[in-house]
Amino acid sequence: MKRTVLRILTAIQLTRLTIAFGAISEIWFVLLLMWSEQPQPAEGLAHGMSLAPALLAGAVVATGLSAYGASFNDVLDVRHDMVFSPERPIPAGRIKVGQAAVVTVGALLLAILAASAFRGEALRVTLVAAAAILFYNAAGKYIPAIGIPTIGLIHALHMFIPDLGLGFTLPIWLVFSHTMLIALAVHVLEEKRPKITRRSAAAIAVAWLSWSGVILTLGLYRDSGFHFVPMGFLAPIAAIIGFLIVARWKTANVPRLVAAEKLKRYGAMWQCLYGASWFLAIGHLVAAMWLAIVAVVGFSAMTLLKELTGITNKPVRYRA
């Protein structure tokens, strides 16, 4: 029994499920947006599926892609982790490279299978997102000017999986910008190589401006039909300010590596709150309530998973 629990916790640590909630909330936001416009079981969600099965399929797609990216990264970085991150599952000897490779392939296949439940181009968008994850891990992460924008685009692609024709692209733009900013901050905090130079910082800024233009222009061209309620635009602004305050609070006066880890976890989970704020902005109160509940449950689960996986490779102690 103890061995089984340790294997499960090792798999959780390998796939970094503590930060998978962000990817889930990206897809769930779009599904709830579609459902709020057409609440009946529908062609609008996925081959006549009602909301609950669609949310389940979306969670599997998001978790599969997230686990695929995380475990693939560990498989490729075995030698690096032996020196710089010996507590990771592979260098620590809790899982073999071959077993981690099986987890990687299995997670990708699971995501592809779940994506086939959705209508239209969902499967193709999932494959494009998987290819982007492959590119990032194999080459992009070694060139910050390319890798950091790629992270943002991967998360933007998540939101197009349920509906490639989505016209309300402001939430996609925020997720793209949010994940790029976190990736940049983590790169600096973890002192990754190569360092961010002025030239690479300029290239990252140009990439952000260029892709922001593409995403926002796409929304204008498609004319989603969504309109802000009076003062509704304040809700996303409040969510952004709230994240900046929490990020500063959680990363102040802690070691750089701890700050980076906290930033990744809270940044991922905050996307549920972004989604809820967008629903408030357009007057979809029920959908906003559901995502707020998901945020509370997600924060609790994230904390629990972090504590459990921490116990597997550290002495039991209090962790703030």
Side-chain angles (χ1 to χ4, degrees), residues 176-188:
F176 167 72
S177 303
H178 174 80
T179 50
M180 270 193 68
L181 179 62
I182 290 175
L184 178 60
V186 168
H187 189 100
V188 173

Side-chain angles (χ1 to χ4, degrees), residues 29 53 131 153 164 177 181-182 210 244 252 260 264 272 315:
F29 170 79
L153 289 172
L164 184 58
S177 303
L181 179 62
I182 290 175
S210 300
L244 294 175
K264 285 186 284 188
C272 277

Side-chain angles (χ1 to χ4, degrees), residues 47-80:
H47 297 315
M49 292 166 60
S50 58
L51 180 62
L55 290 176
L56 177 60
V60 174
V61 172
T63 304
L65 287 176
S66 180
Y68 158 66
S71 55
F72 186 41
N73 176 77
D74 278 17
V75 170
L76 291 180
D77 285 354
V78 173
R79 291 184 179 179
H80 176 275

Side-chain angles (χ1 to χ4, degrees), residues 269-288:
M269 200 60 248
W270 210 265
Q271 295 184 45
C272 277
L273 296 180
Y274 283 149
S277 72
W278 285 114
F279 281 131
L280 288 175
I282 60 177
H284 290 12
L285 301 183
V286 174

Side-chain angles (χ1 to χ4, degrees), residues 37 168 170 225-237 276-286 288:
E37 290 298 296
F168 187 33
L170 274 173
F226 293 104
H227 301 285
F228 289 149
V229 299
M231 305 302 289
F233 66 90
L234 293 177
I237 293 175
S277 72
W278 285 114
F279 281 131
L280 288 175
I282 60 177
H284 290 12
L285 301 183
V286 174

Side-chain angles (χ1 to χ4, degrees), residues 7 10 19 21 33 45 73 86 91 114-115 122 128 168 172 202 226 232 304:
R7 285 179 178 175
T10 296
I19 59 174
F21 292 103
L33 186 66
L45 285 178
N73 176 77
V128 171
F168 187 33
I172 297 175
F226 293 104
L304 176 61

Side-chain angles (χ1 to χ4, degrees), residues 60-61 64-65 105-117 122-123 126-127 130:
V60 174
V61 172
L65 287 176
V105 175
L108 177 59
L109 292 177
L110 193 62
I112 292 172
L113 179 63
S116 65
L123 184 56
T126 301
L127 291 174

